[in-house]
Amino acid sequence: MPERLSAREVLALVADADGFRELPAPARESRPDGPLRWQGYDASRARAAERTGEQESVVCGTALVEGTRAVLIAFEFGFLGGSLGERTGDRLEAAYGHAREHRLPLVSLIATGGSRMQEGMLALTQLQRVARQLALTREAGLPQIAVLRDPTTGGGWATLGAGADVVLALPGAQVGFAGSRVRPPGADPAAYTAESQTAAGSADAVVPARELKETLGRWLRLLAGPAGAIPGTGPMASTGLTRGTEPTPGTEPAAGTEPTPHTETAAGIEPAPVPFALGRAGLPGSGWEAVGRARASERPRARAYLDAYFGERVLLGGDRCGGTDPDGMLCGFGERDGRTVAYAAQTGTATRPAGYRTAARLIRLADRLGVPVLTLVDTPGAANDAEAERQGAGAAIAEVFGAVAAARVPVTTLVIGEGGSGGALALAAPGNTWATPDSYFSVIAPELAAAILKRPPEAVESTADQLRIRPQDLVELGVVRGVVGPADHPVPEPPDHRRT
């Protein structure tokens, strides 16, 4: 069994020195032995208070975590199993209200067995109060991070835990809706662990206790740090942000030329530096050459772009529907020149339904927080095997199309490799998509197009030319805004339109 820290111990673990300030507990008059007059309930609470030094199962306050101020909620499992009752609900509601009033992110350090039986249905209805607070805080555009301690079960997991924007977990923590005493006989205990929930996409990462403060600090800096809004701009502002070299169709840019990317600010369009160099110079001379370059093993992939572009980044690890696609889609938040940018990046493989759902989750979260989004397109297409269909491939792709279409923050797309049909287009920002010289975008792969048209194998190359899939063709067709190259591949700089 993992070590169970008390509420004060876990607060000391994550808060900066002498930084925690407890919020006053709301007053509540209650009848003897609680609302159900449960015999011995008052005595049980008194013993719990004497044993733990706490008056309820949660401790709420504010603190700096690696320099970022946040509201912290820490559960005390030693107080009646960290269970939720009416007074617990009062404290949670007050903490969320304080977060909204002062525009602070909220971190829940959870260790609970569920709702308090001695208060019956009134205890269970506290979950509705908590759900309302989560919803109001989401609407306010404030990030919510949950840390799953041992144990996190019942309604605490199904609201504060699973309902958070980012879910971290301590190693070995018991995590699941069903607690250990109410599971079906013979249930596999491994399914009720932090590691299992992370593998299933319900939590983003398992974080050792010694790394928790640093990890929380990084998330808080990226989601709620000082890289705030630009005055005079907002989420409905134009998504036009970059001006690149637009090659004459069929020609190559002059040797040594570079695009001059720009970022849109409240003061107008100002130059931005070229962030890094990747890939080859020159544009492909034929459609089939474009395909070959996009499929070349030595071509830079998503991780190379992300590593070069961001100073630091954190990863969202799942779709919250039971799946992950770590080999096909990388999603998270990164820091660029002191500001936060969200990213959803395909890795060059066929994207699984879980990858699309994770990308949709990322885009919706970034939109709520007012963070611009960068998408990197690189896939031969969506996975189309039988298992992908059983996992809802069509619905998952539709989620991404919908998330991009509904986004109020700027979404910028760079096609860095293969752009295979709708599985690639789902991530592409209409009117703000760019391409590298090592990429192509096509309604269908040339080989499949030739097969559908009943052409011989030797006609594949000419079919690729007919499809007009080269980067310069895409510029002429109006599908992409420009080719960012030739020798340098800067990611177009997203503007900072974070909401105030």
Side-chain angles (χ1 to χ4, degrees):
M1 178 181 294
E3 180 184 7
R4 286 181 176 171
L5 301 177
S6 70
R8 303 286 173 174
E9 288 172 335
V10 75
L11 287 169
L13 181 67
V14 301
D16 293 353
D18 301 321
F20 183 73
R21 299 292 180 266
E22 190 167 354
L23 294 173
R28 172 182 283 269
E29 294 292 332
S30 60
R31 63 181 65 181
D33 281 334
L36 303 187
R37 299 185 186 275
W38 186 288
Q39 186 175 0
Y41 181 35
D42 282 350
S44 295
R45 285 194 293 194
R47 288 193 297 271
E50 182 179 2
R51 182 170 57 252
T52 64
E54 307 297 345
Q55 297 303 307
E56 249 305 328
S57 58
V58 290
V59 178
C60 305
T62 62
L64 293 173
V65 180
E66 295 276 294
T68 302
R69 184 161 297 281
V71 170
L72 302 183
I73 295 171
F75 277 73
E76 176 51 70
F77 188 76
F79 193 103
L80 301 181
S83 57
L84 279 74
E86 287 185 304
R87 291 180 178 176
T88 322
D90 292 342
R91 293 186 177 209
L92 294 174
E93 189 173 68
Y96 272 87
H98 186 89
R100 291 193 299 275
E101 180 182 357
H102 296 276
R103 305 294 302 165
L104 296 175
L106 191 140
V107 177
S108 298
L109 305 156
I110 308 170
T112 176
S115 300
R116 196 166 297 172
M117 290 180 294
Q118 296 92 329
E119 295 186 21
M121 276 302 298
L122 290 176
L124 192 63
T125 59
Q126 302 310 303
L127 303 181
Q128 295 171 320
R129 293 179 71 186
V130 171
R132 176 64 175 162
Q133 295 307 308
L134 267 71
L136 290 173
T137 307
R138 280 195 294 269
E139 289 177 5
L142 298 172
Q144 303 172 65
I145 302 175
V147 177
L148 313 180
R149 298 155 56 209
D150 184 56
T152 298
T153 60
W157 164 230
T159 53
L160 286 166
D165 298 318
V166 178
V167 181
L168 309 176
L170 295 181
Q174 179 187 172
V175 179
F177 186 65
S180 59
R181 297 184 182 181
V182 297
R183 296 171 192 160
D188 181 7
Y192 303 85
T193 63
E195 289 76 8
S196 178
Q197 297 290 357
T198 302
S202 295
D204 293 297
V206 175
V207 182
R210 66 182 179 276
E211 299 174 12
L212 183 59
K213 180 178 180 178
E214 180 183 357
T215 301
L216 275 176
R218 187 179 302 116
W219 273 108
L220 290 170
R221 281 195 305 277
L222 289 171
L223 298 188
I230 298 174
T233 64
M236 301 304 292
S238 167
T239 58
L241 58 132
T242 308
R243 296 177 182 174
T245 300
E246 298 189 3
T248 301
T251 66
E252 295 186 2
T257 63
E258 294 180 349
T260 304
H262 292 71
T263 57
E264 187 175 25
T265 70
I269 304 296
E270 298 180 357
V274 175
F276 56 88
L278 291 168
R280 293 186 261 185
L283 293 169
S286 68
W288 190 241
E289 182 186 342
V291 172
R293 287 174 60 164
R295 294 176 180 175
S297 60
E298 67 271 16
R299 171 182 59 79
R301 306 286 164 153
R303 284 183 176 84
Y305 280 87
L306 296 174
D307 288 345
Y309 185 65
F310 291 117
E312 66 174 350
R313 55 189 172 96
V314 289
L315 190 69
L316 283 179
D319 66 358
R320 296 294 186 266
C321 298
T324 62
D325 186 18
D327 297 326
M329 183 77 75
L330 303 175
C331 294
F333 292 83
E335 179 274 328
R336 174 73 185 174
D337 294 333
R339 59 183 180 160
T340 300
V341 177
Y343 63 86
Q346 292 172 315
T347 63
T349 65
T351 308
R352 311 278 323 162
Y356 289 114
R357 283 191 289 263
T358 305
R361 173 193 164 207
L362 179 280
I363 295 167
R364 289 192 293 262
L365 174 57
D367 192 53
R368 287 204 310 270
L369 300 179
V371 175
V373 178
L374 169 70
T375 62
L376 300 182
V377 169
D378 185 10
T379 180
N384 58 5
D385 55 87
E387 187 58 29
E389 295 297 339
R390 282 191 286 265
Q391 293 170 357
I397 296 169
E399 276 196 61
V400 181
F401 270 116
V404 171
R408 297 163 294 173
V409 295
V411 180
T412 303
T413 300
L414 184 64
V415 186
I416 64 172
E418 293 194 79
S421 193
L425 186 67
L427 264 73
N432 203 27
T433 293
W434 303 75
T436 71
D438 290 336
S439 68
Y440 77 88
F441 221 147
S442 179
V443 64
I444 191 171
E447 298 94 332
L448 297 179
I452 291 172
L453 296 172
K454 298 182 179 180
R455 294 178 175 178
E458 56 268 22
V460 169
E461 295 186 19
S462 61
T463 301
D465 289 330
Q466 279 186 284
L467 288 168
R468 300 201 63 196
I469 60 180
R470 300 176 303 168
Q472 59 267 42
D473 296 328
L474 300 171
V475 172
E476 184 180 356
L477 292 170
V479 176
V480 303
R481 290 182 63 181
V483 180
V484 283
D488 294 324
H489 293 187
V491 172
E493 293 279 355
D496 198 344
H497 288 319
R498 294 172 64 109
R499 299 178 213 161
T500 54

